Amino acid sequence: MTPAAPAFRLAADPTVRVVVANLGLACCSLEVDVAIQRGLLVPDEDGAGAAHCVLLVSGTVTDVLAPAVVRHYEALPGHVSVMSFGACASTGGPYWDAPTVTQGVDRLVPVSVYVPGCPPRPEALVAGLLALTAEVSA
Amino acid sequence: MSHNDEIPAAAHGYIALTPAACTSCMLCVRECPSWCITLESHAVQTSEPGARRPTTVSVLDAFTIDFGLCMFCGICVEVCPFDALEWTPRFDYAASDRSGLVQAIDQLSGSGDQR
Amino acid sequence: MRTVESSRWWEELSALAVDGFTYLDYLTAIDRGTHLDLVAHVVNPDTVEHLLVVAALPGDSAVVDSLVPLHAGANWHEREAAEMFGITFTGHPDPRRLLLRDESAAPPLRKSTPLPARVDTPWPGAATAGGDDAAGRRARRQLPPGVPAQWVAEGP
Ligand code: SF4
Ligand code: SF4
């Protein structure tokens, strides 16, 4: 059973409310914490019913962990958009040639938005969420 | 976005290319550990007035950086002998499909559409 | 650093444990090309002295005693070294693969094992500055740094 993912509003656009399930697999995940600490993502107590649920894959997906990523995606309720955050999640990044690393999380689950960076800045996370919600509501 | 103001100008967000400075020497392409830069060029002969024989120069046709693979190591920026590559703090180039992270001359040089 | 005979690996590390080096920090291997170096880093928790213990193993028959009965913490380190470097740890209580899925995969951290991604991916640096010249001749073919010529020659 996956614990309920936290809901946030974006400081840049408070009308955007998202539920973010952060699958922090490596260092990129720290940028997500920084985005929260710097107030770019504002915890949204009563936002649990927010329309957009984002599975944020931040970090290196290894072949050993790949089934867990898929299970996590399938366990999230409702419509889930996947954000591939950082080079590792998008392509394997610095580990593109490693025999133990999945060459992009899009080989496992459909990805709605790719955020470049190694690591991407916290602001890039916000820009990615804006791009994603704009696309989903369009 | 207001948070832009907090990002230092020296931040490593994006690698910009000055096409006019690039001599197509291929150093960045060959040093990149991620193999994420591609370059196409062709040779042309130019003859300066008064020169004994024509010189061959490379003309840049295409240059791409795949930011899905780039590990932001900065080696390409360091090795470029002509300072054609430089870091910029830009961060807002998320893409909805994988190929959107492959940025070409227009985007890298800021002369085209920013997305 | 202390170099020991691989046949005395267990004895040497047991003796060190008696001398107070009771904590195994890590165990790994290095492919030297000519042979493998098996490396254990042990620590004396009371004095905080630490020591690298190294034993040379022949690449084609890398067999050594497991340290698990002595250091329980060697369990996963040995499983990783086994699959990554092709080393057999005799007496290991649970010699399953740890990280690699494919039972038949060649040990990926041996220098002789090609990295498929580096072989299958065309290297963008192979293009010649200025493109092929008018006569279609190419400049001397360059190889990607860090990729042995025989990997490229063998192909995928
Ligand atoms: S920063 Fe590093 S990985 Fe990125 S394009 Fe330059 S050399 Fe390649
Ligand atoms: S190193 Fe600089 S001049 Fe040479 S190809 Fe790269 S960008 Fe162009």
Side-chain angles (χ1 to χ4, degrees), chain A residues 11-12 38 40 87 90-91 93-94 96 106 111-118 121 123-124 126-128 130-131 135, chain B residues 1 3-4 6-8 11 33-35 66-72 89 91-98 101 115:
Chain A
R38 281 186 35 203
L40 304 181
S90 296
T91 63
W96 68 274
D106 54 6
V111 170
S112 299
V113 67
Y114 298 82
V115 178
C118 189
R121 296 188 65 85
E123 291 86 351
V126 174
L130 284 170
E135 185 163 310
Chain B
M1 200 191 304
H3 304 284
N4 260 351
E6 295 170 32
I7 301 176
S34 290
W35 296 8
D66 182 349
F67 283 99
L69 261 175
C70 172
M71 61 166 95
F72 282 50
F91 61 85
D92 57 340
Y93 53 109
S96 56
D97 63 286
R98 173 67 186 84
L101 294 180
R115 279 284 236 274

Side-chain angles (χ1 to χ4, degrees), chain A residues 9-89:
Chain A
R9 286 173 187 275
L10 300 188
D13 180 356
T15 63
V16 176
R17 308 173 81 176
V18 281
V19 172
V20 179
N22 181 16
L23 212 50
L25 300 173
C27 22
C28 275
S29 184
L30 298 176
E31 305 295 325
V32 179
D33 298 333
V34 172
I36 297 169
Q37 285 191 1
R38 281 186 35 203
L40 304 181
L41 294 189
V42 186
D44 187 5
E45 299 300 334
D46 44 36
H52 302 312
C53 181
V54 181
L55 177 66
L56 183 57
V57 183
S58 53
T60 321
V61 183
T62 58
D63 292 345
V64 174
L65 276 173
V69 173
V70 176
R71 276 202 303 277
H72 208 80
Y73 172 74
E74 287 167 350
L76 286 168
H79 178 80
V80 181
S81 306
V82 178
M83 175 188 287
S84 168
F85 187 72
C88 280

Side-chain angles (χ1 to χ4, degrees), chain C residues 37-51:
Chain C
D37 273 343
L38 181 65
V39 182
H41 185 234
V42 286
V43 181
N44 180 332
D46 298 323
T47 62
V48 208
E49 275 177 282
H50 57 110
L51 186 65

Side-chain angles (χ1 to χ4, degrees), chain B residues 15 28 31-34 36-37 65 69-77 87:
Chain B
I15 297 165
C28 56
E31 292 298 320
C32 171
S34 290
C36 66
I37 308 179
I65 298 181
L69 261 175
C70 172
M71 61 166 95
F72 282 50
C73 64
I75 289 174
C76 53
V77 177
W87 284 110

